[in-house]
Amino acid sequence: MKNYRIAVLPGDGIGKDVTDAAMKVLDAVGFSDKAEYTWGDIGWEFWCKEGNPLPERTIELLKQSDCALFSAITSKPKEEAERELVLELHGKGLVYFSPIVKLRQLFDLYVNLRPCKAYPGNPLNYRDDLDLVVFRENTEGLYVGIEWHPVPEAIMKAMIDNHQKAIRFKGDNLDDIAISTRIFTRKGVQRILKASMDYAIKYGYPTVTVVEKPNVIRETSGLMIREARKLAKKYGDLELWETNIDAMAMWLVKNPQQYGVLVSSNMFGDIVSDLCAQLIGGLGFACSGNIGENFAVFEPTHGSAPKYIGMNKVNPIAQILAAKMMLDWLGEKEMAEKIDKAVEAVIAEGKYRTYDLGGDTTTSEMADAICEKIKEL
Ligand code: NAI
Ligand code: MG
């Protein structure tokens, strides 16, 4: 009997190369003995062939799995999306959507977790002593997509009737105004804050920094800060720091080593996590988890890098670290730690370096080097 059912979704482009690399590493730590893998269809290929980048059968597969290891998909602008559809599907009103955004909504994966730990010796590190973990709210805020342009009259009227500051727009042409909403719910902010604080306690980080802008965006950022203060009282010694998003960008350049866990809303969290990822080596190292109550999807932050398709060239470490996060989430701490130690050793040694690190090690050679280290541990 296998203990885990894992959906493997390589997607498009370099997704296949880096997924192969991660699977080798999962074999090397012994996880594959405990897991049943099922490969699933996702991405551009299925949009072009079937008019659906996330086929129903893949959703069914995910529902029957404990979690998913995803890689990357290709997406293109509207006109190209229509053009690349097989001829039979033209003119049927099919519209491309982002499968990963859909998965987040479908499975209520409200945490976007992005650990950004520097492996000493990585020539791309900003500093070697960084260990940042970003919690980005994944389901609300500016990314919900409740937007208007032109603004419907009823919305405009409701704003003017209900908000003193909206009076300045009275009489403006509705086509000359665009509105994007930033909606936070108490439940939404509470659960991302709780996830970040639980994590800080579990992994021994002394601080959680809420990254918002409550002095200007008083209601949404304000709700988050107020809830953070309330919740932090339950976490004893854990220190709650509050930093504005703009200042945070500055502090992350000046003193990133002083920070531990960061928590933020969808948009600010997206920005701050890209900044943190670059501090520890960028796309070749940046991994993430989309995590809900009972399901999770782990992935590298990078995309499908079409120019490197089939070249066995890119750095597989981000995907390998996504697999490591998956093991952590499943409670396989020892295996996760082995991957961490092996990556650390390979980077410290500096013998194997993919092109982004200034070397010519291939994707599969990098995976092999990490597997060798695992055997030595
Ligand atoms: P990208 O992340 O695919 O690649 C940008 C550049 O970063 C690459 O050309 C390469 O130089 C470098 N890079 C990426 N991954 C690397 C790795 N593992 N090792 C070394 N270098 C690496 O972003 P881009 O070019 O903007 O998008 C390409 C496609 O990927 C687009 O169709 C885009 O929509 C999609 N995409 C998908 C994402 C996802 O699946 N979650 C996220 C970002 C982009
Ligand atoms: Mg981003």
Side-chain angles (χ1 to χ4, degrees):
M1 241 301 264
K2 304 269 189 175
N3 306 41
Y4 303 112
R5 276 187 288 189
I6 309 295
V8 182
L9 310 174
D12 302 303
I14 59 164
K16 299 192 168 53
D17 288 357
V18 295
T19 300
D20 286 347
M23 298 315 285
K24 276 190 194 174
V25 171
L26 289 175
D27 291 348
V29 289
F31 181 71
S32 303
D33 300 332
K34 293 178 141 192
E36 187 182 306
Y37 301 122
T38 311
W39 264 252
D41 298 336
I42 194 167
W44 194 250
E45 191 187 331
F46 300 95
W47 160 254
C48 296
K49 286 200 293 211
E50 304 176 21
N52 185 354
L54 181 63
E56 234 3 86
R57 59 183 180 281
T58 305
I59 295 172
E60 276 313 305
L61 165 67
L62 294 174
K63 283 182 182 162
Q64 286 157 27
S65 305
D66 294 306
C67 63
L69 184 61
F70 169 62
S71 188
I73 42 123
T74 296
S75 57
K76 299 184 188 180
K78 200 169 162 229
E79 292 74 26
E80 273 173 89
E82 276 171 24
R83 228 181 301 130
E84 293 190 25
L85 263 182
V86 288
L87 272 181
E88 307 90 272
L89 295 176
H90 281 218
K92 297 211 162 160
L94 294 168
V95 181
Y96 182 84
F97 60 88
S98 159
I100 187 69
V101 172
K102 177 102 177 261
L103 283 180
R104 287 169 185 162
Q105 290 162 355
L106 213 58
F107 291 91
D108 199 20
L109 306 176
Y110 61 91
V111 174
N112 191 254
L113 172 58
R114 303 212 196 168
C116 298
K117 189 174 89 160
Y119 289 101
N122 178 350
L124 301 175
N125 280 347
Y126 189 67
R127 297 173 57 116
D128 276 352
D129 57 354
L130 303 182
D131 186 358
L132 299 152
V133 184
V134 182
F135 278 76
R136 165 189 169 196
E137 204 292 324
N138 222 7
T139 56
E140 305 194 330
L142 266 172
Y143 286 30
V144 170
I146 301 179
E147 307 184 287
W148 296 279
H149 183 234
V151 178
E153 212 163 318
I155 299 291
M156 203 49 167
K157 182 171 183 313
M159 279 206 318
I160 291 166
D161 289 351
N162 290 286
H163 207 300
Q164 180 97 54
K165 288 185 179 152
I167 290 168
R168 61 186 277 203
F169 301 113
K170 202 171 175 179
D172 282 6
N173 187 341
L174 295 174
D175 191 37
D176 292 334
I177 305 176
I179 297 177
S180 302
T181 60
R182 187 179 195 257
I183 300 175
F184 287 24
T185 65
R186 196 181 302 277
K187 175 185 159 203
V189 299
Q190 279 175 344
R191 64 186 188 172
I192 190 72
L193 289 164
K194 180 170 186 305
S196 70
M197 291 181 196
D198 286 345
Y199 186 98
I201 294 294
K202 187 169 171 192
Y203 293 98
Y205 291 86
T207 62
V208 168
T209 306
V210 187
V211 185
E212 279 298 319
K213 185 83 182 175
N215 54 333
V216 178
I217 317 174
R218 290 174 186 277
E219 299 312 332
T220 45
S221 288
L223 179 67
M224 187 136 176
I225 293 287
R226 288 190 297 274
E227 290 299 328
R229 288 178 190 160
K230 258 195 268 172
L231 193 62
K233 293 204 177 94
K234 298 185 185 161
Y235 286 80
D237 290 342
L238 185 65
E239 265 187 66
L240 180 70
W241 292 357
E242 299 169 15
T243 309
N244 285 337
I245 175 69
D246 47 346
M248 192 73 228
M250 190 184 72
W251 290 119
L252 282 172
V253 173
K254 195 158 182 241
N255 289 323
Q257 74 284 2
Q258 290 180 358
Y259 293 87
V261 173
L262 311 180
V263 58
S264 192
S265 54
N266 211 336
M267 172 91 256
F268 294 165
D270 198 11
I271 296 169
V272 99
S273 59
D274 275 14
L275 173 43
C276 290
Q278 198 53 43
L279 298 176
I280 55 100
L283 291 175
F285 290 84
C287 56
S288 73
N290 302 279
I291 303 172
E293 291 301 335
N294 304 304
F295 192 69
V297 178
F298 299 91
E299 56 168 330
T301 306
H302 63 72
S304 62
K307 69 179 176 197
Y308 296 121
I309 284 184
M311 288 169 70
N312 191 27
K313 178 164 173 155
V314 296
N315 188 347
I317 290 181
Q319 184 76 51
I320 290 168
L321 293 177
K324 173 209 170 267
M325 287 181 80
M326 176 178 84
L327 299 186
D328 256 328
W329 184 77
L330 289 168
E332 294 289 352
K333 302 278 168 236
E334 263 175 48
M335 292 185 195
E337 209 157 286
K338 273 190 186 173
I339 296 179
D340 190 51
K341 291 258 172 323
V343 171
E344 187 177 71
V346 168
I347 294 299
E349 238 172 55
K351 198 168 132 201
Y352 296 95
R353 286 187 170 171
T354 41
Y355 85 95
D356 53 319
L357 301 170
D360 57 10
T361 298
T362 64
T363 308
S364 50
E365 284 167 354
M366 184 57 116
D368 292 339
I370 292 167
C371 291
E372 275 309 307
K373 278 280 175 261
I374 287 170
K375 284 184 204 146
E376 290 167 18
L377 287 169

